[in-house]
Amino acid sequence: MGLFTDAYDLFSITLIIKIIGRVYYGHREGENRYETPPEVVSALVAVALLGTAVGQLVFGRLGDLKGRRRVYGFALLLMVFSSLASGFSICIRKTCVLLTLGFFRFFLGLGIGGDYPLSSTIMSEFANKKTRGSFIAAVFSMQGFGILASSTVTMAVCSIFGAASKNSEADVAWRLILMLGSVPAAMTYYWRMMMPETARYTALVEQNVMQAAKDMEKVLDVTLSQIAEEDPLPPTPHPYPLLSWEFLRRHGPDLFACSSTWFLVDIVFYSQVLFQSEIYKRYLDKKEDVDVYQETFHAAWIQAVIAVCSTIPGYFFSMYFIDKWGRVKIQMMGFFFMALAFFSIGIPYYSYWTTKEHHKNKVFMVLYGLAFFFANFGPNTTTFIVPAELFPARFRSSCHGISGAVGKVGAIIGSVGFLWASHRKKEDGYPKGIGMKVSLIILGGVCLLGMVITYFFTRETMGRSLEENEVEIEEQDNL
């Protein structure tokens, strides 16, 4: 439910921005009327991603220093209260509303960022090596359902408000959509607090094997030796600190592989803003012909269709094949087919896709859906899994947080940088950029680079016991 709420909060903003444009920017002239200015769109999108990057670093490190369970609940509470605060946004004047919305979305991002490394690490440490990939992928798949939920809730709210009120009430509608994101997180808090600390953390980091055994009896009908699988538990923690030269010598290549591939896939995954704006233009009615609720409903409907037809199936394919094919093969395959989709859209973009005869060609939507499908049946899922499997227990959450934070820098580049770069002429408040064709070809190149880095640097973790991370280091110390 943490990952479900993360996706709900992060992806609902693209729909909320449409309502905000109607409520606060009706005074703009010409085609820009009802359009939220690009600098406001960029700020609202980027501030949550920036908060997420900071949260991944902070909570990832705290998860190793203080324990997974102790900080897991705090990250959830931060998400709950920030979602509620985002809806209230203190005041009703435009400038004040947008500033406070951005402020609270930063703290929402902190909570979301904390959930990434903690959820992945906890799931990996409770799982066994045969099904660990599927379990972590199942946790991550809730992102797809969170995206679908944000679309569904938006459609429901718009339908109710459209039938029962006037456009002047839209200022309440977007606040309600944001605040409803706190409900699933709040419902989960009790069970998070009842969850024991993972046995691997208690035994390997806190060096309390007896307590680890007792904790496991509360959750699973297995002994600690079964959890440890075939490798013995090392008697003492490793002496070197995080990001020391010794750490970089032993784990630097793995951290580079995890961080760089996450960075590259997030550039591509979050650049969906590029596509969504184009899809909305193709399939939505003109703003003058619909009211605020109809426009937002149609945009949410398109997002829901994409989630059902490509996003969620991609997650399920990953769950099924991740422990059969391995992480590296799926990651390389995903990058490759994403690159093909981007090249297929990008190379003939102006000469074919934007012509009058093919402007509403359904193949465009299919290619866009395939890019999403292979992102999730590929690197978007595997980059979440691999950092939770490659590092010793006392660095696991920290390294996952570092990898994810680097990824969110890529997300800011993808969602904001390419949004501005995609305009080949000055329009709608955007300066002249490199255009959609070049932007899409660059994104395809980014995917090919991700495939190359995966091939040369990413280690396969399928069938690998987590205790191998501890044993390998112990063996190196004995050499």
Side-chain angles (χ1 to χ4, degrees), residues 313-331:
Y315 287 122
F316 279 121
F317 270 72
S318 288
M319 288 168 55
Y320 184 78
F321 288 105
I322 194 74
D323 289 316
K324 294 181 172 66
W325 293 359
R327 287 65 163 153
V328 171
K329 288 181 180 178
I330 289 177
Q331 187 161 301

Side-chain angles (χ1 to χ4, degrees), residues 2 59 62-63 66-81 110-112 114-115 118-119 122 185-186 188-197:
F59 282 95
L62 288 175
K66 302 298 182 181
R68 300 13 171 165
R69 175 184 173 276
R70 291 179 185 177
V71 293
Y72 203 32
F74 181 70
L76 193 70
L77 284 179
L78 195 56
M79 290 163 59
V80 171
F81 288 112
L110 286 179
I112 292 172
D115 213 69
L118 294 172
S119 292
I122 288 171
T188 315
Y189 182 74
Y190 172 79
W191 284 277
R192 281 203 182 184
M193 291 298 93
M194 294 298 101
M195 178 188 298
E197 184 56 83

Side-chain angles (χ1 to χ4, degrees), residues 200 204 228-238 240 250-251 389-394 396 459 464-479:
R200 285 184 166 101
L204 297 172
E229 297 172 316
E230 71 271 14
D231 295 301
L233 297 173
T236 56
H238 313 307
Y240 56 90
R250 299 182 183 211
H251 305 293
E389 301 179 310
L390 268 181
F391 301 97
R394 76 187 191 103
R396 187 169 293 133
R459 283 201 288 166
R464 175 188 174 93
S465 166
L466 291 185
E467 281 66 47
E468 289 183 40
N469 298 317
E470 322 290 334
V471 173
E472 282 182 2
I473 294 172
E474 289 297 309
E475 290 174 346
Q476 290 174 13
D477 290 341
N478 293 332
L479 293 178

